[in-house]
Amino acid sequence: MNIRTELQQDYELVLQLNYEAFGNRDDEAELVNRIRRSDRFVPELSIVAEQNGEIVGHLLLSKADVVNENTKHEVIVLAPIAVSPRLQKQGIGRLLIEEGMKRCQVLQVPLVLLIGHPSYYPKFGFRPARPFGLELKQFPASDDVFMVLELRDGALNDIQGELVYPAVFFGG
Ligand SMILES: CC(C)(COP(=O)(O)OP(=O)(O)OC[C@H]1O[C@@H](n2cnc3c(N)ncnc32)[C@H](O)[C@@H]1OP(=O)(O)O)[C@@H](O)C(=O)NCCC(=O)NCCS
């Protein structure tokens, strides 16, 4: 299994993978496309899992902001992650997330936030975000699905406010 940065030549296959992983729905594939074209895209945080020359997994991490009356902090949001349906539950998602968090640490990202399965992401250290003074208003998300991972010591003390997803998350 080769975990590497997505290249332009992978774009079509990655869109196809997202389509299949999300039940033949193209919302996530279109989201990937919009993020890639935006200034919130970080090329080295679009990561693929390749097996025998085939793209079998993809993780996209991109920039968003936590804002309050006084400040705006840049953070990273995780969305989407997709593993080929026939290869799920074999550790590919884990490899992608671990590599993604390692890269974020190198980039000195303070926090990674997401909306996701409450039984999946805590395996990687994600915890419900609202008790730390983080808020989400743009999406209806219950407390257990809105999660955060602290990558820089003390970041959860320093960064509080509303997570604001960029317009591209809403088709903009
Ligand atoms: C979610 C997804 C990316 C996980 O990838 P994966 O390769 O199947 O996950 P892994 O095999 O690395 O699983 C890691 C751990 O999570 C568990 N797990 C996998 N899918 C899970 C799920 N849907 N819910 C809860 N736990 C899950 C595994 O059992 C494993 O646990 P362990 O390490 O304790 O053994 C993949 O199932 C997928 O593409 N799903 C469809 C798209 C989707 O829903 N994306 C996420 C949106 S939030």
Side-chain angles (χ1 to χ4, degrees):
M1 185 71 58
N2 185 21
I3 305 292
R4 61 163 175 83
T5 303
E6 180 196 39
L7 303 171
Q8 219 155 331
Q9 68 218 45
D10 304 319
Y11 279 15
E12 272 311 309
L13 288 175
V14 166
L15 293 185
Q16 183 63 28
L17 169 69
N18 275 278
Y19 178 74
E20 285 167 15
F22 286 94
N24 295 342
R25 195 175 70 173
D26 53 17
D27 300 33
E28 282 75 17
E30 284 175 6
L31 173 63
V32 168
N33 243 337
R34 291 196 303 270
I35 295 173
R36 280 199 198 117
R37 289 195 290 257
S38 81
D39 64 353
R40 312 322 305 266
F41 182 58
V42 185
E44 68 260 48
L45 295 183
S46 187
I47 304 171
V48 296
E50 186 184 40
Q51 193 178 43
N52 305 324
E54 196 191 339
I55 303 292
V56 295
H58 174 246
L59 167 66
L60 184 55
L61 300 153
S62 58
K63 294 180 191 170
D65 298 301
V66 171
V67 299
N68 60 39
E69 318 78 66
N70 310 310
T71 55
K72 179 158 118 174
H73 290 277
E74 197 169 86
V75 296
I76 288 291
V77 286
L78 184 160
I81 178 169
V83 170
S84 178
R86 68 195 157 81
L87 294 171
Q88 289 173 5
K89 306 226 174 180
Q90 296 180 27
I92 298 173
R94 175 177 288 281
L95 289 176
L96 287 166
I97 292 178
E98 287 174 355
E99 176 65 18
M101 296 311 103
K102 216 184 288 173
R103 292 184 181 203
C104 284
Q105 230 150 8
V106 171
L107 294 171
Q108 302 191 315
V109 169
L111 299 177
V112 179
L113 291 113
L114 59 82
I115 303 168
H117 297 301
S119 55
Y120 186 62
Y121 296 97
K123 290 179 190 293
F124 308 98
F126 283 86
R127 291 179 282 175
R130 286 198 178 98
F132 294 101
L134 294 159
E135 191 43 87
L136 178 67
K137 297 178 184 162
Q138 294 164 307
F139 296 100
S142 59
D143 288 353
D144 57 342
V145 303
F146 174 41
M147 289 178 261
V148 64
L149 177 68
E150 181 184 62
L151 290 181
R152 196 183 68 208
D153 275 353
L156 282 171
N157 283 326
D158 301 342
I159 302 179
Q160 267 140 33
E162 182 190 347
L163 171 64
V164 178
Y165 279 89
V168 287
F169 274 80
F170 309 94

